[in-house]
Amino acid sequence: MLPDGAPRALALSDVAVHAGVSHQTVSRVVNGHPNVAPATRERVQRAITELGYRPNAAARALVTGSTRSFGLVISHINQYGPAQTLLGLEKAARAAGYSLGVAILDDDSEAAMREAVDRFVAQSVDAVVALSTYGQAVEALRRFEAPVPLIAVQVGRDESRPTVWVAQEVGAELATRHLLELGHRTVHHVTGPPDSLEARGRVVGWRRALEQAGAPVPEPLCGDWWASAGHAAGRALAARVRAGQEDVTAVFVANDQMALGLLSALADEGLSVPGDISVVGFDDVPECEYFSPPLTTVRQDFAELGRRGVELVLARLRGEPLESQPVLPQLIVRRSTGPARRV
Amino acid sequence: MLPDGAPRALALSDVAVHAGVSHQTVSRVVNGHPNVAPATRERVQRAITELGYRPNAAARALVTGSTRSFGLVISHINQYGPAQTLLGLEKAARAAGYSLGVAILDDDSEAAMREAVDRFVAQSVDAVVALSTYGQAVEALRRFEAPVPLIAVQVGRDESRPTVWVAQEVGAELATRHLLELGHRTVHHVTGPPDSLEARGRVVGWRRALEQAGAPVPEPLCGDWWASAGHAAGRALAARVRAGQEDVTAVFVANDQMALGLLSALADEGLSVPGDISVVGFDDVPECEYFSPPLTTVRQDFAELGRRGVELVLARLRGEPLESQPVLPQLIVRRSTGPARRV
DNA sequence: TGTGCTGTTGTTAACGCTAACAATCGACCA
DNA sequence: TGGTCGATTGTTAGCGTTAACAACAGCACA
């Protein structure tokens, strides 16, 4: 009924008057303190619902020093992994009674990272979760002296700071070994961007698996996560095949988008998958199953990552220094991989 | 140097003492008020940087009643469109000096929507932007009487509430007309989930284009945005082709993921695209170009959507009732569409 | 019947900030 | 020379909440 011009929001004292008690008693009821007589509690409860009172978060934050909120610093939110992690994180945070502020990094520079964290600090969030896995932003994180707990997710192990991460090397080894076991002499690799820690981890795992098997380690092709880079890599590999290079029969691509581009390029070049070349991706995006052919890949449980991130934050806030275990990836075999062709 | 146990954050008064002025003068400097003598201003500035002071957002919010933050209610964040919109929205909000809280809906029920908005209200955000385009959540939005400005994005036109939206019908018409102009007798349609307003808008546009051209309107196939549904639809259409149904030569699929599934099914069934069947998608996800074949689709500028959402919010906060124009989609022709085969 | 406890309620003082008003100081003009 | 005005600065109050303490009842026990 009232025009939009605010009728001044209800305060504790309004409820107190309505219920005939002091504002402190109302506060006690709101916060579930023990020593309140059942009759009083009920009377206050009724007043609260009748008036539709809701506590003022700012006033609370001012006096308690806690906003019951986290800040999430994130980049590349339009990619599957980060989006999925955000999903898990928000849900877990909400379940724990925290709300989530989001800052999306324009670029992965130290300055951007610092500015985002700063803004959260000014908002007095209770903790900041950072999910940038790129270059200087990661370095920046390592050195930060923030006046709030700062938790890193998905940046690989870090001794100096609490961290949650997926064991990228393990996933890459899984993929590479799978191909070697199918009889391929070696496995080529299309990497992610060089400044990504995840991309580097996958390179390490791939190389390790090859070396352990005594297989030659070819020069990796450099990509950037996007399908276009995979396409370029596919053309490059096809050229090598045409030039008679015999060992190009298996490729481990650092993510599914690039694998899609690669499949497309190979098809254009008249190479069959897995007949001529076997391909493995990474991430297990939901569309994998409908690539041509359906893509063998490594699944990362991003939602779990988000969940563990929140766990770590909460443990930290409670003062328990929880040692977090890495999340383990899993190989999903589909139809893009097959036995090496006999030469 | 100090142990983590807080040394009590700096307050206005600390700066005041350090600079030898009153706390109010410091406040004036911080907020850029005019009447401060240049010498004083500089002295205060120096004190601020020396001490590393940062204003307390909670105290500010308490007294001004504004947190300089928006709440974003969103669902399906792991899909391309919502993620991209979030990106545009956050950037625009940040540029305007607002921070962004995010609530992700567990499901598209009215209860979930109501709870999310409630939580933002309790946090006293300055405005809530809602980006759910599904069933009851939309209905809920329509009826909400929130004590803060509530802006809806992407839910189609709404007379009762400020809205930003993409003209879905226009996009669907573009796609359908493109196929008709290539000589196809009619165009089949794979829809999104029936409770999605966007999906409904696309059905409307598709139907309208067919009717305007005097083409028969076949029964649409019902999907859910996911590639698996597109795959199922593809098999169903292939079955019709085998059964001799002649008019199955063109399909407009309500999004790119489903189009991918459909392409995969058609390939499995030995049908060529665009030789036997032409396919158009919707969204223009970055991978489109690398589908087999590259997908003709309708591009939506999601980032622009986010930007306009913020514009609308800001206009509303300033009290200017801005009439927002719809964002117009655009047809991107690639290789999945071609002329109808002669019968 | 007085003493001390326990459970319940009220009173007061912060938290850090901005808004409103008051005070001071020159300068300028009549 | 006194008064007025504008620019600058300081003082005070209050935003809505929680924490700390004070007050008061009722009860058990000596």
Side-chain angles (χ1 to χ4, degrees):
Chain A
M1 269 307 101
L2 292 153
D4 213 67
R8 194 178 71 73
L10 289 158
L12 223 40
S13 54
D14 299 310
V15 180
V17 170
H18 193 82
V21 295
S22 78
H23 67 124
Q24 183 57 250
T25 300
V26 180
S27 169
R28 281 191 268 255
V29 170
V30 170
N31 294 294
H33 279 228
N35 298 337
V36 179
T40 317
R41 159 161 291 136
E42 206 200 322
R43 195 145 38 95
V44 172
Q45 287 287 15
R46 204 164 41 237
I48 288 175
T49 51
E50 270 172 27
L51 267 52
Y53 163 78
R54 240 189 328 232
N56 177 315
R60 256 187 187 171
L62 179 57
V63 65
T64 61
S66 155
T67 50
R68 292 199 70 79
S69 70
F70 300 146
L72 173 64
V73 183
I74 195 169
S75 63
H76 302 263
I77 185 68
N78 49 354
Q79 289 184 354
Y80 179 72
Q84 206 70 4
T85 311
L86 165 58
L87 203 64
L89 230 144
E90 193 273 351
K91 195 164 176 173
R94 180 149 40 90
Y98 284 78
S99 65
L100 196 66
V102 171
I104 301 177
L105 255 38
D106 284 331
D107 55 83
D108 293 293
S109 67
E110 165 156 1
M113 172 64 89
R114 182 172 293 275
E115 199 234 315
V117 173
D118 261 22
R119 289 224 332 267
F120 279 133
V121 170
Q123 279 176 56
S124 36
V125 297
D126 293 354
V128 174
V129 179
L131 203 152
S132 178
T133 66
Y134 289 82
Q136 303 178 315
V138 174
E139 291 308 313
L141 259 188
R142 292 245 155 89
R143 283 195 306 273
F144 262 16
E145 271 313 319
V148 294
L150 185 52
I151 274 80
V153 169
Q154 181 90 357
V155 300
R157 176 160 227 139
D158 181 344
E159 285 74 30
S160 67
R161 196 176 282 298
T163 309
V164 181
W165 79 102
V166 173
Q168 305 292 341
E169 297 88 346
V170 174
E173 281 179 28
L174 243 42
T176 311
R177 268 208 296 274
H178 167 64
L179 290 166
L180 292 173
E181 281 162 9
L182 283 167
H184 297 275
R185 291 243 319 276
T186 187
V187 176
H188 289 256
H189 181 39
V190 182
T191 72
D195 62 343
S196 154
L197 283 185
E198 290 151 286
R200 287 187 218 160
R202 291 172 204 174
V203 173
V204 169
W206 161 75
R207 189 184 304 273
R208 192 155 63 205
L210 288 179
E211 283 168 356
Q212 277 178 6
V217 180
E219 189 66 20
L221 291 94
C222 187
D224 64 1
W225 294 147
W226 296 100
S228 52
H231 189 84
R235 294 178 60 119
L237 287 174
R240 292 200 205 162
V241 170
R242 275 200 311 272
Q245 191 177 335
E246 282 192 350
D247 69 358
V248 183
T249 65
V251 190
F252 164 48
V253 188
N255 81 345
D256 291 343
Q257 269 81 21
M258 292 197 296
L260 176 64
L262 187 122
L263 289 177
S264 151
L266 294 182
D268 289 354
E269 303 279 345
L271 291 167
S272 97
V273 175
D276 296 312
I277 297 188
S278 286
V279 178
V280 179
F282 209 108
D283 280 353
D284 195 33
V285 305
E287 292 83 24
C288 273
E289 212 175 326
Y290 302 97
F291 289 1
S292 325
L295 188 68
T296 296
T297 191
V298 178
R299 175 179 298 167
Q300 310 197 59
D301 190 344
F302 291 106
E304 173 67 19
L305 200 64
R307 233 170 293 136
R308 296 231 196 143
V310 172
E311 255 174 42
L312 193 56
V313 173
L314 293 175
R316 178 72 187 283
L317 289 177
R318 282 192 301 262
E320 319 160 358
L322 182 104
E323 176 60 29
S324 165
Q325 299 297 316
V327 179
L328 292 177
Q330 181 190 359
L331 182 73
I332 308 289
V333 178
R334 296 204 181 86
R335 303 211 316 260
S336 66
T337 49
R341 60 165 190 275
R342 291 293 106 215
V343 224
Chain B
M1 270 307 103
L2 293 152
D4 214 66
R8 194 180 71 72
L10 290 157
L12 222 41
S13 54
D14 299 310
V15 180
V17 170
H18 193 83
V21 295
S22 78
H23 67 124
Q24 183 57 250
T25 300
V26 180
S27 168
R28 280 191 268 254
V29 171
V30 170
N31 295 295
H33 279 228
N35 299 337
V36 179
T40 317
R41 159 162 290 135
E42 204 200 323
R43 196 145 38 96
V44 172
Q45 287 286 17
R46 203 163 43 235
I48 288 176
T49 50
E50 270 172 28
L51 267 51
Y53 165 78
R54 238 187 330 230
N56 177 314
R60 253 185 189 171
L62 180 57
V63 65
T64 61
S66 156
T67 51
R68 293 199 69 81
S69 70
F70 301 146
L72 172 64
V73 183
I74 195 170
S75 63
H76 302 263
I77 183 70
N78 48 354
Q79 290 184 354
Y80 178 73
Q84 206 71 5
T85 312
L86 165 58
L87 204 64
L89 231 143
E90 195 273 350
K91 194 163 177 172
R94 181 150 40 92
Y98 283 78
S99 66
L100 195 65
V102 170
I104 301 177
L105 255 38
D106 285 329
D107 54 84
D108 294 292
S109 66
E110 164 157 3
M113 172 64 89
R114 182 172 293 277
E115 200 234 314
V117 174
D118 262 21
R119 289 223 334 265
F120 279 133
V121 170
Q123 280 176 56
S124 36
V125 297
D126 293 354
V128 174
V129 179
L131 202 153
S132 178
T133 64
Y134 288 82
Q136 302 179 316
V138 175
E139 292 307 313
L141 259 188
R142 292 244 156 90
R143 283 194 307 273
F144 261 17
E145 272 313 319
V148 294
L150 184 54
I151 274 78
V153 169
Q154 180 89 357
V155 301
R157 175 161 228 140
D158 181 344
E159 286 74 30
S160 68
R161 194 176 284 299
T163 308
V164 181
W165 78 103
V166 172
Q168 305 293 339
E169 299 87 348
V170 174
E173 281 179 28
L174 244 41
T176 310
R177 268 207 296 272
H178 167 64
L179 289 166
L180 292 173
E181 282 163 8
L182 284 167
H184 296 275
R185 291 241 320 276
T186 186
V187 175
H188 289 256
H189 181 40
V190 182
T191 73
D195 62 342
S196 154
L197 283 186
E198 289 152 289
R200 288 188 218 159
R202 291 172 204 175
V203 172
V204 168
W206 161 75
R207 189 185 304 272
R208 192 154 63 204
L210 288 180
E211 284 167 354
Q212 278 178 5
V217 180
E219 188 65 19
L221 291 93
C222 185
D224 64 1
W225 294 148
W226 295 101
S228 53
H231 189 85
R235 294 179 60 118
L237 288 174
R240 291 199 207 163
V241 171
R242 276 199 312 271
Q245 191 177 336
E246 282 192 349
D247 69 358
V248 183
T249 64
V251 191
F252 164 48
V253 187
N255 80 345
D256 292 343
Q257 270 81 21
M258 292 197 297
L260 176 64
L262 188 121
L263 290 176
S264 151
L266 295 182
D268 290 353
E269 303 279 345
L271 291 167
S272 95
V273 175
D276 296 313
I277 298 187
S278 286
V279 178
V280 179
F282 208 108
D283 280 353
D284 194 34
V285 304
E287 291 82 25
C288 273
E289 211 174 326
Y290 302 98
F291 288 0
S292 329
L295 187 69
T296 295
T297 190
V298 178
R299 175 179 297 168
Q300 310 196 60
D301 191 344
F302 291 106
E304 173 67 19
L305 201 64
R307 231 169 296 136
R308 298 234 196 141
V310 171
E311 254 174 43
L312 192 55
V313 173
L314 294 174
R316 179 72 187 283
L317 289 177
R318 281 192 301 261
E320 319 160 357
L322 182 104
E323 176 61 29
S324 164
Q325 299 297 316
V327 179
L328 291 178
Q330 182 190 358
L331 182 73
I332 308 289
V333 178
R334 297 205 182 85
R335 302 212 316 260
S336 66
T337 48
R341 60 166 190 272
R342 292 289 107 217
V343 225

